[in-house]
């Protein structure tokens, strides 16, 4: 059975394996052992309650219970931009008009912003291609919402997620070629790598600070503003189905969209409820559905996907499922349907 748990120091090799298969543009999963081991250490300290909000980052892995293999990774940053500026471009409007001359022209423009400062962030979602089946992607992405619902005091009122923008197989980004390239002699792949190893603010400081008229960018660059990388469409589809929206903010390097919402408005946060574990083997017959289920422990957080009967004040689980959650009969759980009602 697949389960979600906090990352541990022993997972470094597993994370390196995931990073190697991730490719360019998954910024926060660089193939860099030192960086990944620092990320693990920061996560371990966060779960132990030993860091300030500005430094807290919670990293989770999906473990294949049968083999112990690390199948995927996902993370939550408590608050971005509190130590180093957090940059985005906001796609806004500038109007040049003169009634006297009968001129009116409206221009889409990129404004450099730090508007997401203090927001929480969903990031580093990656499932090994061998495991992209059996709703594992949904468990991996949405297990974070049970964590948010269980520990709201650790997070901000708003949550963002930066989606990977368009780049080709060689890691060439049309937006970077049209804009960033004028300020740097480096490739997008290299800029993205520097971002992933903690140099984003440094790179961002050298990008244009004045509004950029989109009309002046090459058509290939214009075409990808706010567009998600093909491989990242499932990731953004899941967030949109939970209530996240694109509000005109894009990545400064590849123009991938940022989606956002109020934490309390996320469907799986809003609809999640607490229930006591009730064990049954086998589960009784009846109308079953898929539920995300987590325990209520911070450092010992566990989440699984269970196909079971609709929970009441109790949720029926098999002993194997309870074991994966590290709970016994009567233990405290939080659960929510995997899918919003309309697609269940
Ligand atoms: C994102 C995941 C983990 C998702 O796993 P799977 O591919 O197995 O997911 P899936 O179950 O096939 O699809 C999930 C949902 O997306 C829908 N879906 C699939 N392909 C789609 C497409 N092309 N367009 C629109 N929707 C699509 C499915 O119908 C399904 O909907 P239903 O749920 O209704 O069935 C994986 O694809 C992956 O690792 N991708 C590569 C890495 C990546 O790009 N990561 C995101 C970077 S951006 C980031 O990290 C920030 C965002 C974040 O942290 O969440
Ligand atoms: N180049 C980008 N637009 N990267 C953003 C996507 C990466 C993703 N948010 C992460 O945490 O790694």
């Amino acid at each position: 059975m697949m389960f979600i748990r906090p990352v541990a120091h022993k997972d470094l090799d597993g994370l390196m394996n995931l990073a190697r298969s991730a490719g360019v543009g998954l910024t926060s999963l660089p193939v860099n052992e030192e960086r990944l081991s620092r990320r693990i250490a920061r996560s371990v300290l966060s779960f132990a309650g030993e860091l300030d909000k500005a430094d807290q980052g919670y990293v989770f892995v999906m473990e294949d219970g049968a083999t112990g293999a690390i199948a995927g990774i996902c993370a939550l940053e408590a608050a971005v931009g509190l130590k180093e500026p957090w940059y985005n471009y906001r796609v806004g409007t500038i109007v040049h008009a003169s009634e006297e001359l009968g001129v009116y022209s409206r221009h889409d423009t990129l404004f450099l912003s730090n508007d997401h400062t203090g927001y929480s962030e969903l990031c580093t979602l990656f499932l090994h291609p061998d495991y992209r089946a059996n709703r594992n992607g949904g468990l991996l992405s949405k297990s974070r919402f049970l964590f948010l619902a269980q520990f709201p005091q650790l997070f901000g009122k708003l949550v963002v997620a930066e989606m990977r923008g368009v780049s080709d197989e060689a890691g060439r980004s049309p937006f970077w070629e049209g804009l960033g390239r004028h300020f740097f002699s480096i490739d997008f792949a290299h800029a993205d790598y520097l971002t992933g190893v903690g140099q984003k603010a440094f790179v961002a400081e050298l990008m244009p600070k004045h509004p950029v008229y989109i009309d002046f960018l090459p058509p290939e660059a214009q075409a990808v503003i706010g567009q998600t990388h093909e491989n990242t469409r499932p990731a953004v589809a899941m967030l949109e189905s939970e209530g996240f929206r694109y509000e005109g903010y894009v990545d400064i390097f590849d123009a991938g969209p940022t989606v956002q919402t109020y934490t309390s408005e996320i469907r799986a946060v809003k609809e999640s409820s607490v229930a006591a574990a009730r064990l049954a083997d086998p589960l009784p017959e009846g109308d079953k559905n898929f539920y995300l289920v987590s325990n209520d422990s911070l450092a010992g957080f566990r989440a699984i996907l269970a196909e079971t009967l609709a929970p009441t004040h109790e949720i029926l689980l098999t002993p194997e499922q309870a074991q994966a959650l590290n709970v016994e009969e009567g233990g405290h759980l939080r659960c929510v349907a995997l899918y919003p009602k309309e697609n269940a």
Side-chain angles (χ1 to χ4, degrees):
M1 186 189 318
M2 311 301 294
F3 65 90
I4 307 292
R5 61 163 174 81
V7 76
H9 291 290
K10 63 174 183 193
D11 298 321
L12 183 59
D13 285 349
L15 262 49
M16 280 297 284
N17 275 334
L18 291 179
R20 277 188 213 101
S21 54
V24 173
L26 200 81
T27 319
S28 58
L29 200 58
V31 186
N32 180 317
E33 203 163 275
E34 193 230 320
R35 191 72 200 172
L36 291 178
S37 89
R38 272 170 46 198
R39 184 103 190 269
I40 295 175
R42 185 161 70 86
S43 178
V44 169
L45 290 172
S46 301
F47 278 104
E50 285 175 23
L51 294 181
D52 292 341
K53 192 146 191 170
D55 291 317
Q56 281 169 31
Y58 298 85
V59 180
F60 305 86
V61 290
M62 174 182 276
E63 180 174 327
D64 180 343
T67 63
I70 300 302
I73 184 171
C74 63
L76 271 167
E77 290 293 324
V80 299
L82 298 184
K83 282 250 160 114
E84 285 193 328
W86 179 265
Y87 292 102
N88 278 114
Y89 279 128
R90 178 174 59 79
V91 182
T93 307
I94 288 183
V95 174
H96 295 234
S98 161
E99 230 175 337
E100 220 170 294
L101 301 176
V103 175
Y104 182 99
S105 68
R106 176 192 168 127
H107 301 274
D108 287 337
T109 311
L110 299 172
F111 295 90
L112 196 62
S113 102
N114 303 129
D115 290 356
H116 294 143
T117 305
Y119 287 23
S120 294
E121 187 200 10
L122 291 163
C123 55
T124 325
L125 179 71
F126 183 78
L127 181 58
H128 192 279
D130 293 351
Y131 284 93
R132 291 187 195 163
N134 301 331
R135 302 174 176 79
N136 288 336
L139 168 61
L140 187 62
S141 173
K142 298 186 185 186
S143 58
R144 295 174 293 183
F145 300 140
L146 290 179
F147 192 79
L148 275 174
Q150 189 64 35
F151 304 106
Q153 70 281 10
L154 300 179
F155 299 97
K157 260 175 42 190
L158 284 132
V159 192
V160 292
E162 294 194 324
M163 311 314 298
R164 194 171 177 185
V166 175
S167 59
D168 66 16
E169 260 151 46
R172 193 182 159 281
S173 148
F175 185 77
W176 176 262
E177 294 305 321
L179 186 63
R181 175 64 85 189
H182 294 291
F183 302 88
F184 287 95
S185 51
I186 57 176
D187 292 334
F188 168 68
H190 190 198
D192 191 62
Y193 180 78
L194 289 176
T195 303
V197 296
Q199 313 264 352
K200 179 154 187 164
F202 153 74
V203 183
E205 273 157 24
L206 299 174
M207 293 287 283
K209 286 178 188 59
H210 299 289
V212 176
Y213 287 72
I214 292 179
D215 298 335
F216 298 167
L217 293 174
E220 313 83 70
Q222 293 187 27
V224 299
I225 294 174
Q227 298 299 310
T228 302
H229 190 285
E230 203 177 292
N231 296 351
T232 303
R233 299 232 173 96
V236 73
M238 288 190 283
L239 296 183
E240 284 172 349
S241 76
E242 293 289 329
F244 284 74
R245 292 286 169 266
Y246 170 63
E247 304 277 9
Y249 290 91
V250 300
D251 183 74
I252 58 173
F253 297 153
D254 66 10
T258 294
V259 294
Q260 63 188 76
T261 189
Y262 284 92
T263 314
S264 58
E265 290 294 312
I266 299 168
R267 193 274 319 177
V269 169
K270 214 164 46 180
E271 291 181 5
S272 77
S273 60
V274 293
R278 182 69 54 228
L279 303 199
D281 196 13
L283 293 177
E285 293 295 311
D287 194 7
K288 297 201 177 83
N289 231 315
F290 289 98
Y291 294 91
L292 297 160
V293 188
S294 71
N295 65 15
D296 66 351
S297 164
L298 178 65
F301 184 79
R302 291 284 182 97
I304 62 163
L305 186 66
E307 189 176 12
T308 185
L309 298 162
T312 54
H313 61 288
E314 293 182 338
I315 179 163
L316 280 162
L317 296 175
T318 65
E320 191 199 1
Q321 289 168 333
Q323 196 187 0
L325 287 165
N326 254 334
V327 293
E328 293 177 356
E329 178 87 16
H332 295 259
L333 298 173
R334 180 173 287 275
C335 42
V336 70
L338 175 63
Y339 298 114
K341 282 194 187 70
E342 62 270 25
N343 2 344

